[in-house]
Amino acid sequence: MKINYIKLLIIFFIFINMNNSNAQILPNNPAYSELKALQKQARKVEMELAKSGECTTCLSDLTAIKNQLNSLQEQYPKLNFTSLSNKIDRLTKDAKGEEIILGNTELVNDKTNEIEKDNNNATEKTGDIRKDYLNKVAWSNKMLDVNTMTEADLQTTFKYGEPIFGTIFTNDKIRTLQNSFSALLFELYVDGEIMPIFKKPYIYITTAMQENNYLQFALIPTQEWLDKNYAPYIKEDNRTAFNIAKHFTNVLKGKGDIHEVKLRMAFRAKPYELIDANFKIDASNTSDYYDKLANNLLALHTESVELPQAKMTDVTLSKKMVDIMNAKGSNQTFSKAIIVSSGWEIEKDKYTHAIIQRTLQAALVSKYSDGRCSFQYFLFGQDYAGGGKYSPTLKYVGAGKEKFINCSKL
């Protein structure tokens, strides 16, 4: 009997390929077309993020793509989808505004010696302060000079209406601790309750700040600090200071007594060291500074915001959308729906591919009881009824990002 060694070799390589989790996914593989579709969707999101305009659905799109990829991995456990999974994770960070600062290398190099000299001077002059507040927050009511600050400049209790600044000393440069990320996320608690917010608050760290062995930030800034430092926050649409000022106004104004406030955060580099920093606010003091600050910041952020353009017009559907959201009951009144989808999006079951529903995205305009105006993206849908038809009943599916806007633009 003759042995066909060529055929045996082919069979051997096929067997190895089937058992290799890192094998290339070939066009004849059932997973190939699904993977290509997910790659195409991820590329579309990547292009949206690369545009100068804002991507309002990128986070939800990426979540959906990741869920489908996970399902695909469960169906084909021996195949490797790591490359696309890592790409989705990276795009998700970009969509959340957690952008890596590459910086101007020449500018950083030019100033490195100067900054390091300042750091050394700060160590000599502040001495015990640097040791006492290593990886801890030193609170003050103004931005302090790290070269001259002393314990007498610090405070742990603020009167309602006072500015609030923080300084943290570190052994390593902030760039190292942050893995070069510009966003240092944190949580804020008042009397044990976390500040509710759609997007997690964060401290914006500039390229120059990353070269320091200390970090200074403003929770409640002064006008002088805003004039010098707030431009990047406008560009990033980082409304952290607005949200804090508004939250303090809502939960503390006129309440009296002493209130406990806690800031919790951790730099990105492993091992993560949790920083819990506490201070108190004496709310027996009467002041309108937090109110005025919130209004001022809102005006700065909404100055360039415009309503999105409608891509589809349907008066009946738009009215139903408004009625659905107003029926939910809140401190805002919805008045208008702008359909931003160019047509219905068909949603199918991931496994059977049977049609489930069709959806439309719309931006709903509203006005709050305190006079603020905004628009927020919502997803609405109609269930599939079979035979190519859909239920006439419109339903709420999900919510997206909200943007405040000057009321005169509505």
Side-chain angles (χ1 to χ4, degrees), residues 107-215:
L107 178 63
V108 171
N109 289 339
D110 288 343
K111 292 191 175 182
T112 297
N113 292 334
E114 179 183 343
I115 292 171
E116 288 183 347
K117 182 178 179 181
D118 287 343
N119 286 336
N120 291 334
N121 288 339
T123 302
E124 293 174 5
K125 294 182 180 180
T126 60
D128 291 338
I129 283 285
R130 183 175 286 274
K131 293 178 182 178
D132 292 342
Y133 291 94
L134 185 65
N135 297 324
K136 297 178 182 178
V137 179
W139 296 110
S140 59
N141 63 1
K142 61 182 178 181
M143 185 65 78
L144 300 175
D145 184 341
V146 295
N147 294 320
T148 59
M149 63 184 287
T150 66
E151 191 73 39
D153 297 316
L154 310 182
Q155 58 191 84
T156 56
T157 301
F158 296 84
K159 293 180 179 179
Y160 179 84
E162 268 194 291
I164 302 173
F165 290 86
T167 301
I168 304 173
F169 291 105
T170 60
N171 280 326
D172 297 311
K173 288 185 178 182
I174 301 301
R175 179 181 294 280
T176 302
L177 296 174
Q178 273 292 100
N179 289 335
S180 295
F181 275 82
S182 63
L184 175 56
L185 304 176
F186 67 87
E187 295 174 343
L188 196 69
Y189 298 80
V190 178
D191 294 331
E193 297 291 329
I194 192 170
M195 179 176 71
I197 185 172
F198 177 76
K199 185 176 181 180
K200 202 167 185 178
Y202 66 93
I203 298 165
Y204 182 81
I205 306 176
T206 65
T207 303
M209 290 167 65
Q210 296 222 10
E211 300 308 313
N212 293 325
N213 286 69
Y214 62 87
L215 176 66

Side-chain angles (χ1 to χ4, degrees), residues 44-58:
K44 183 179 178 182
V45 174
E46 186 174 33
M47 292 176 68
E48 285 293 326
L49 286 171
K51 293 178 182 178
S52 58
E54 183 176 318
C55 178
T56 58
T57 62
C58 284

Side-chain angles (χ1 to χ4, degrees), residues 137 139-140 143 158 162-167 184 186-189 195 201-203 216-222 225-226 230 233 239-246 248 261-265 277-279 281 289-290 293 297:
V137 179
W139 296 110
S140 59
M143 185 65 78
F158 296 84
E162 268 194 291
I164 302 173
F165 290 86
T167 301
L184 175 56
F186 67 87
E187 295 174 343
L188 196 69
Y189 298 80
M195 179 176 71
Y202 66 93
I203 298 165
Q216 292 187 297
F217 59 93
L219 287 186
I220 298 290
T222 59
W225 187 92
L226 290 174
Y230 206 64
Y233 286 79
R239 304 191 181 195
T240 296
F242 162 76
N243 288 317
I244 294 174
K246 194 67 181 177
F248 282 179
V261 180
K262 178 172 74 175
L263 178 142
R264 168 171 286 183
M265 64 183 178
N278 302 296
F279 61 89
I281 292 182
Y289 180 69
Y290 293 168
L293 176 63
L297 293 175

Side-chain angles (χ1 to χ4, degrees), residues 57 74 84 90 135 142 147 171 242 271 345 355 364 376 390 404:
T57 62
E74 291 176 5
L84 179 56
R90 174 178 60 79
N135 297 324
K142 61 182 178 181
N147 294 320
N171 280 326
F242 162 76
E345 184 80 18
I355 298 176
L364 268 69
Q376 184 171 1
Y390 293 85
F404 286 92

Side-chain angles (χ1 to χ4, degrees), residues 310 312-326 334-340 344 360-365 380 394:
M312 175 178 169
T313 302
D314 190 311
V315 176
T316 302
L317 276 177
S318 295
K319 184 180 184 306
K320 287 182 179 180
M321 292 172 178
V322 171
D323 291 341
I324 288 172
M325 297 313 301
N326 281 330
F334 294 91
S335 59
K336 180 181 179 181
I338 304 169
I339 301 176
V340 294
W344 289 97
L360 279 177
Q361 187 183 47
L364 268 69
V365 176
F380 298 91
L394 189 70

Side-chain angles (χ1 to χ4, degrees), residues 248-406:
F248 282 179
T249 299
N250 292 338
V251 302
L252 298 178
K253 188 174 183 179
K255 300 296 174 65
D257 300 326
I258 303 294
H259 298 267
E260 300 284 342
V261 180
K262 178 172 74 175
L263 178 142
R264 168 171 286 183
M265 64 183 178
F267 290 108
R268 290 179 174 272
K270 296 180 180 179
Y272 306 115
E273 183 174 346
L274 194 65
I275 298 174
D276 279 339
N278 302 296
F279 61 89
K280 299 177 181 179
I281 292 182
D282 181 357
S284 62
N285 184 57
T286 56
S287 170
D288 61 357
Y289 180 69
Y290 293 168
D291 266 325
K292 289 182 176 179
L293 176 63
N295 292 334
N296 179 27
L297 293 175
L298 183 61
L300 290 174
H301 281 282
T302 58
E303 185 177 354
S304 60
V305 177
E306 302 290 344
L307 286 174
Q309 295 295 314
K311 294 183 180 179
M312 175 178 169
T313 302
D314 190 311
V315 176
T316 302
L317 276 177
S318 295
K319 184 180 184 306
K320 287 182 179 180
M321 292 172 178
V322 171
D323 291 341
I324 288 172
M325 297 313 301
N326 281 330
K328 289 183 175 294
S330 66
N331 62 337
Q332 62 188 128
T333 302
F334 294 91
S335 59
K336 180 181 179 181
I338 304 169
I339 301 176
V340 294
S341 297
S342 56
W344 289 97
E345 184 80 18
I346 307 301
E347 183 178 326
K348 297 181 179 181
D349 185 272
K350 296 176 183 178
Y351 302 103
T352 66
H353 302 292
I355 298 176
I356 300 173
Q357 63 179 356
R358 63 179 185 177
T359 59
L360 279 177
Q361 187 183 47
L364 268 69
V365 176
S366 70
K367 189 169 186 177
Y368 282 83
S369 56
D370 61 6
R372 291 177 298 154
C373 296
S374 76
F375 63 88
Q376 184 171 1
Y377 291 93
F378 294 98
L379 197 65
F380 298 91
Q382 291 177 328
D383 291 326
Y384 186 60
K389 297 181 180 180
Y390 293 85
S391 167
T393 303
L394 189 70
K395 65 177 184 178
Y396 166 86
V397 176
K401 186 172 183 178
E402 180 180 22
K403 290 185 72 69
F404 286 92
I405 187 171
N406 191 312

